Amino acid sequence: MDLHFVETLVRPDRRAALPEPLPGDAFVGGGSWLFSEPQTRLRRLIDLASFGWTPIEPRPEGLEIAATCRLAELAAFEPVAGWPAASLFRPSCDALWGSFKIHNVATVGGNLCLGLPAAPMAALATALQGVFLVWQPDGGDRLLAAIDFLTGPGETALRPGEILRSVTLPATALRRRAAIRQASLTSHGRSAALLIGTSDPGGAMSLTVTAAVRRPLRLDFRSPPDAAGLQAALSQRLNPAVLFDDLHGSADWKRHMTLRLAEDIRRELAA
Ligand SMILES: Cc1cc2nc3c(=O)[nH]c(=O)nc-3n(C[C@H](O)[C@H](O)[C@H](O)COP(=O)(O)OP(=O)(O)OC[C@H]3O[C@@H](n4cnc5c(N)ncnc54)[C@H](O)[C@@H]3O)c2cc1C
């Protein structure tokens, strides 16, 4: 869709070339959402692709994923030996029910910054204890834990003018075993429940719940829970205040599916 109210497009190639923030600015990741509906409030677009950031960089401390990494690039990442949790990348990207056209433009950062409860990158980053690097407009940086990034439907911890630069998934989290489950109301519908579980050889298990809830929810167990223990702990957290009721599923149904998928994950990780 043409954005008729936009007057200026800026393509910075380095941080110093970023303009002073103005009302009516928007950063463009892949533009799959920005160009999908009228944006009458916008006057200036700042295209992040022009920075040319390396999409994915393995480092000793983990994997750095640029905010501009496209979902198709993340899905194609060749799993590194010793990082079984990297097997989550493809199914997490597939949890966004867009065509190949969307997957080829949508970015990890755009998915996170749009802040939908069904954002699969929020599930992935939270489950793998991602650390977000945020560029502040005054030239400073700050780090945020993935679990603190999405604060509600369409809301993030970003302040005006801030850019999500990258997400680092620590090697310790990538070494865990992982399982993912997703449910939608229709066969090609948006996620109504998207859950990721991880476990370490010592038996500790973590469960991340998204889509069914207004913001990601994470439960950590020091030892593998049994079915009753998991259901009890999860039921307690899935109260009406945290559940997300929308056209992709009622809160009650999402709660039901979340409890069911959580048990599936528990069994897979216990096997
Ligand atoms: C057919 C279709 C199906 C979809 N299905 C889903 C779905 O299942 N789940 C889902 O979550 N979304 C879905 N979407 C919405 C959207 O396309 C995705 O969330 C996509 O990942 C957004 O990424 P993008 O890079 O295209 O974001 P953009 O459209 O470029 O940007 C989205 C928002 O984030 C801001 N932004 C982008 N990057 C940054 C950054 N690095 N720092 C700060 N702000 C930034 C933009 O200013 C804008 O407000 C769907 C869209 C379509 C068209």
Side-chain angles (χ1 to χ4, degrees):
M1 161 176 297
D2 292 339
L3 300 182
H4 298 290
F5 290 86
V6 171
E7 295 155 354
T8 315
L9 172 66
V10 183
R11 290 205 157 111
D13 57 359
R14 60 195 189 286
R15 193 166 179 182
L18 276 168
E20 287 291 315
L22 287 175
D25 276 353
F27 299 111
V28 184
S32 67
W33 174 79
L34 271 175
F35 289 92
S36 72
E37 53 186 75
Q39 308 283 358
T40 54
R41 177 191 74 76
L42 298 189
R43 297 293 175 272
R44 186 169 68 173
L45 297 179
I46 301 161
D47 187 4
L48 301 178
S50 54
F51 280 108
W53 297 326
T54 304
I56 307 182
E57 271 196 274
R59 297 180 184 279
E61 66 274 20
L63 197 64
E64 186 185 290
I65 304 170
T68 46
C69 175
R70 296 173 195 283
L71 296 193
E73 291 171 320
L74 185 64
F77 179 74
E78 290 288 335
V80 171
W83 284 0
S87 64
L88 290 170
F89 294 174
R90 180 173 288 280
S92 298
C93 294
D94 289 346
L96 191 152
W97 286 114
S99 69
F100 69 92
K101 293 184 201 165
I102 299 292
H103 281 223
N104 277 316
V105 297
T107 63
V108 170
N111 187 251
L112 290 163
C113 295
L114 189 55
L116 297 180
M121 296 301 106
L124 180 71
T126 305
L128 298 184
Q129 295 174 292
V131 178
F132 291 12
L133 172 62
V134 174
W135 278 3
Q136 297 171 298
D138 64 1
D141 293 342
R142 67 184 179 113
L143 298 177
L144 271 172
I147 185 94
D148 297 326
F149 188 75
L150 258 66
T151 52
E155 293 166 12
T156 72
L158 284 183
R159 300 175 192 137
E162 287 189 331
I163 296 176
L164 175 61
R165 165 64 184 87
S166 63
V167 177
T168 297
L169 304 177
T172 45
L174 288 161
R175 281 198 285 270
R176 300 182 75 150
R177 290 178 60 223
I180 180 168
R181 293 290 186 279
Q182 189 241 18
S184 301
L185 194 53
T186 57
S187 53
H188 295 294
R190 187 173 289 177
S191 298
L194 177 59
L195 281 73
I196 297 180
T198 64
S199 65
D200 69 20
M205 179 184 145
S206 298
L207 182 72
T208 296
V209 178
T210 61
V213 287
R214 299 172 65 81
R215 57 181 292 187
L217 185 72
R218 190 181 149 106
L219 280 81
D220 295 304
F221 301 88
R222 283 192 187 170
S223 52
D226 60 15
L230 176 65
Q231 297 288 302
L234 194 50
S235 301
Q236 204 184 8
R237 299 287 299 275
L238 293 176
N239 60 59
V242 305
L243 285 162
F244 184 52
D245 200 329
D246 72 346
L247 57 88
H248 301 288
S250 68
D252 280 351
W253 181 71
K254 287 181 177 179
R255 185 177 195 279
H256 170 77
M257 292 310 297
T258 299
L259 291 166
R260 219 174 113 172
L261 299 181
E263 173 56 11
D264 265 10
I265 286 177
R266 187 195 69 81
R267 284 191 198 182
E268 181 176 327
L269 292 177

